[in-house]
Amino acid sequence: MAFLDLLDNIGGLGLFQLLNAILLTIPGFLTACHALLQNFSAAIPNHHCRIPNQTSTAFIPLEKNNKPSKCERYLNPQWNLLILNETTHHKINQTTEKCRDGWDYDRREFLETIVSEWDLVCSRKPLKQMSQTVYMGGVLAGAIILGRLSDKFGRRTVLTWSYFLLAVSGTSTAFSPSYFAFCCLRFLCGMAVAGISLNSVSLMMEWIPTKSRACIGTLGSFGFTVGQLLLAGIAYNIRTWRKLQLSISVPFFFFFVCSWWIPESARWLVLNNHYDKAMREIQRVARVNRLPEEGKKITVEVLHMHMDKEIHVNKTSHTHFDLVRTPQLRKITICLMMLWCSCSLGYYGLVMDLQKFGLSMYLAQIIFALMDFPSLFINLTSLNLLGRRITQGGMLIIAGGVVLAIIFVPEDMKILQTVLAMIGTGFMGAAFTSIYIYTGELYPTMIRQTGMGFGSTMARIGSMSAPVVLMLDEYFSYLPSIVFGIIPIFAGFSAFMLPETLNVPLPDTIKDVELQTLDTCSSERELESGGAAL
């Protein structure tokens, strides 16, 4: 008997599970806002050199598109430009210099961003992308540090204090006196977001029966999509970055208070010898599900009986070395490293660079978010019909190919570029969803959580790299698209080296993985032999 049998006895997917899922999903809307916040808080308004008390026409040269230069001004005023025509203008030799008195910004779309406040343009433009890399670094640190703390102190405890950390650090970010302080506080925000994401999923799934996890997990994945739509609406009504930061951070004080209602994972309590607390939590769940009599039947002996195997496995320590202990596990781990990293790199590389498409940022955010709905439907259908391997590899290859196609679209065809980027983002997001399912089915029970944690770490490395890759457009405008296209295609082909897991029992031990591989290879050889005979 297993803990899942016990869940069925106290209601399975009952009222408690639904309320618990809602309480854990709602904060996820705003954590998604934090992840993509810099699309608006770090947007780059149109700008040109500031010319104190003078007309800019005589001081600002024009670029090829007849727009004022963003980073240069004339060394000496060109008063003749006020009376000469445009043809003569381009024939005159004018000496220019860098902006010395700051910049003037167009504040019609964004009243204030970190870019306009701290002049993160021209030679300081890389600092804009660097701030997002710092945030993603915080997410990586949070996944490592808070993930370990949750194993030691409990899921709910770490989740509760992650809410508090995000409330405090996010609110403090809105009052940042400098760029350096802003980056430090955003790093803490990233750590808190990682703690919330990891522990919310654990607390949600560990109270839900296996047959209902796919449904609840799919609905939960829409939280990120809803968060993107919510961010567009909030940012449209709040055009200053400090107030926008406050609006998505202060609610976490409320979530911090409400989180005390969320029960600790009974599975974690039992595995850490807190049998009495686990028994009380299970009885509480039974009461909410209107099965109090079933809850009263739960005793310490019953918990031992249901979780004997898990308790035994938990006593055996495992390390990250187990992920590469055998030949098959080494191949799985190396392929998954590339898949996790490329999914995150490609996805964040596209959704964090919406401004280049020339559309309203608010409209672009909504369009890209809505693309998640059809892509998720296609992904789930493909996973069940074509299998995990073909879906994972195919989604990444298609996404990479679409991103590469953007390179050949003329600059003046912004709508076509946007459509292609939207399709690429949809398939990249679908691949991201697939990798979570595929990884959990490839690794055996005894090291599954270790494997998922390692994959998540590789994803954070990919998301940290995305802003750095975007800086390459300073050297060649299409270079980021080349990177975001080629790497997913390369990783997509690596997926075909992995075994198929559709309708295959989950492995429990490392030995099971090796045996399943042998069985899979034998089946494939038999199919090839049969095809040759025909």
Side-chain angles (χ1 to χ4, degrees):
M1 299 182 72
F3 182 72
L4 297 176
D5 299 317
L6 189 149
L7 284 180
D8 289 331
N9 294 339
I10 59 174
L13 185 63
L15 178 61
F16 166 82
Q17 280 75 15
L18 294 177
L19 291 174
N20 191 52
I22 292 172
L23 279 177
L24 291 168
T25 299
I26 291 176
F29 300 162
L30 292 183
T31 57
C33 291
H34 275 276
L36 300 177
L37 178 63
Q38 289 208 183
N39 273 339
F40 301 97
S41 66
I44 304 177
N46 288 328
H47 55 277
H48 59 75
C49 295
R50 180 180 295 123
I51 308 298
N53 303 318
Q54 296 287 346
T55 175
S56 63
T57 306
F59 285 85
I60 307 299
L62 296 179
E63 296 179 339
K64 293 181 179 179
N65 55 8
N66 285 328
K67 292 184 178 181
S69 175
K70 296 179 179 180
C71 300
E72 293 181 334
R73 70 179 193 178
Y74 291 123
L75 183 62
N76 298 305
Q78 305 291 307
W79 300 116
N80 56 319
L81 297 181
L82 298 178
I83 57 175
L84 295 180
N85 60 37
E86 186 178 348
T87 304
T88 309
H89 163 75
H90 288 293
K91 291 181 179 180
I92 298 176
N93 181 24
Q94 299 104 358
T95 304
T96 60
E97 64 177 353
K98 303 298 182 183
C99 300
R100 294 188 303 178
D101 301 302
W103 288 262
D104 283 327
Y105 296 92
D106 183 348
R107 301 183 186 276
R108 286 175 293 181
E109 187 172 14
F110 305 102
L111 292 178
E112 190 72 80
T113 70
I114 65 169
V115 172
S116 60
E117 180 165 338
W118 292 311
D119 289 333
L120 306 183
V121 293
C122 299
S123 63
R124 290 167 57 86
K125 186 178 178 181
L127 294 179
K128 178 226 174 188
Q129 300 292 1
M130 189 57 63
S131 62
Q132 181 67 11
T133 298
V134 169
Y135 169 81
M136 290 300 181
V139 176
L140 173 59
I144 297 172
I145 297 172
L146 298 180
R148 290 181 179 274
L149 289 178
S150 67
D151 289 336
K152 184 175 182 180
F153 297 106
R155 317 298 197 221
R156 193 198 69 176
T157 300
V158 175
L159 174 66
T160 297
W161 290 107
S162 293
Y163 284 148
F164 185 73
L165 176 60
L166 186 53
V168 173
S169 60
T171 301
S172 300
T173 301
F175 300 96
S176 300
S178 64
Y179 173 78
F180 178 76
F182 172 83
C183 288
C184 291
L185 290 168
R186 282 287 286 170
F187 181 87
L188 293 178
C189 288
M191 288 188 63
V193 166
I196 292 170
S197 301
L198 290 173
N199 290 287
S200 293
V201 172
S202 296
L203 285 171
M204 190 186 302
M205 293 303 173
E206 290 183 3
W207 282 109
I208 294 177
T210 302
K211 60 184 179 182
S212 305
R213 287 182 180 177
C215 177
I216 298 297
T218 300
L219 293 176
S221 66
F222 281 116
F224 194 85
T225 302
V226 174
Q228 293 183 66
L229 296 172
L230 184 63
L231 175 61
I234 297 174
Y236 182 79
N237 291 282
I238 302 176
R239 301 295 181 100
T240 59
W241 76 269
R242 292 184 185 272
K243 292 180 179 179
L244 179 60
Q245 179 76 41
L246 273 177
S247 67
I248 65 171
S249 299
V250 171
F252 281 95
F253 285 109
F254 175 73
F255 298 145
F256 166 70
V257 175
C258 293
S259 66
W260 294 99
W261 182 88
I262 299 172
E264 181 57 88
S265 165
R267 188 191 303 270
W268 179 86
L269 289 170
V270 171
L271 295 178
N272 286 272
N273 300 317
H274 300 297
Y275 293 101
D276 291 337
K277 290 182 179 179
M279 190 169 60
R280 288 197 297 270
E281 296 288 13
I282 292 172
Q283 291 172 348
R284 176 187 172 193
V285 172
R287 288 195 300 272
V288 175
N289 284 340
R290 299 176 183 176
L291 294 170
E293 296 302 320
E294 292 294 332
K296 293 178 181 178
K297 296 178 183 179
I298 305 300
T299 63
V300 173
E301 290 73 21
V302 172
L303 288 175
H304 264 292
M305 180 177 64
H306 280 79
M307 298 189 64
D308 181 65
K309 182 178 179 180
E310 291 181 64
I311 294 172
H312 177 73
V313 171
N314 189 61
K315 291 179 179 178
T316 305
S317 61
H318 298 284
T319 65
H320 284 82
F321 176 76
D322 292 307
L323 298 177
V324 293
R325 174 171 293 180
T326 64
Q328 182 61 15
L329 278 175
R330 279 194 292 274
K331 183 172 75 172
I332 290 174
T333 299
I334 292 172
C335 290
L336 288 178
M337 284 173 59
M338 293 186 287
L339 290 170
W340 276 96
C341 190
S342 64
C343 285
S344 185
L345 174 71
Y347 182 79
Y348 281 102
L350 291 173
V351 300
M352 293 303 300
D353 195 28
L354 302 183
Q355 203 167 8
K356 74 176 183 180
F357 299 111
L359 298 176
S360 163
M361 281 289 293
Y362 311 101
L363 178 61
Q365 183 73 62
I366 293 173
I367 292 174
F368 275 71
L370 291 176
M371 187 62 196
D372 284 352
F373 291 98
S375 66
L376 185 59
F377 174 77
I378 294 172
N379 183 60
L380 290 175
T381 303
S382 178
L383 282 171
N384 291 318
L385 293 180
L386 302 179
R388 280 42 167 164
R389 179 169 55 186
I390 293 177
T391 301
Q392 184 68 64
M395 292 293 176
L396 278 174
I397 292 172
I398 294 173
V402 171
V403 173
L404 287 178
I406 297 175
I407 299 173
F408 302 99
V409 178
E411 280 292 325
D412 57 345
M413 300 179 68
K414 292 293 185 182
I415 294 179
L416 181 56
Q417 286 185 341
T418 303
V419 170
L420 290 175
M422 188 173 65
I423 295 172
T425 302
F427 279 103
M428 207 75 76
F432 220 150
T433 302
S434 299
I435 194 63
Y436 276 95
I437 299 172
Y438 204 10
T439 301
E441 294 176 342
L442 285 169
Y443 283 121
T445 302
M446 60 193 305
I447 58 171
R448 184 169 295 127
Q449 203 61 29
T450 303
M452 291 294 291
F454 181 72
S456 180
T457 300
M458 296 307 301
R460 305 311 168 201
I461 293 175
S463 60
M464 285 177 63
S465 303
V468 178
V469 173
L470 289 173
M471 295 180 194
L472 298 177
D473 67 351
E474 295 292 320
Y475 306 99
F476 179 51
S477 60
Y478 291 119
L479 200 52
S481 295
I482 293 174
V483 175
F484 295 140
I486 290 179
I487 291 181
I489 291 175
F490 180 76
F493 281 111
S494 74
F496 296 105
M497 300 174 63
L498 295 170
E500 180 55 68
T501 59
L502 178 63
N503 298 324
V504 175
L506 291 178
D508 288 320
T509 65
I510 294 176
K511 185 177 180 181
D512 291 341
V513 175
E514 299 298 320
L515 291 175
Q516 282 184 359
T517 304
L518 293 175
D519 293 340
T520 302
C521 292
S522 299
S523 300
E524 290 179 351
R525 280 196 295 268
E526 290 176 2
L527 289 173
E528 291 174 358
S529 300
L534 291 174

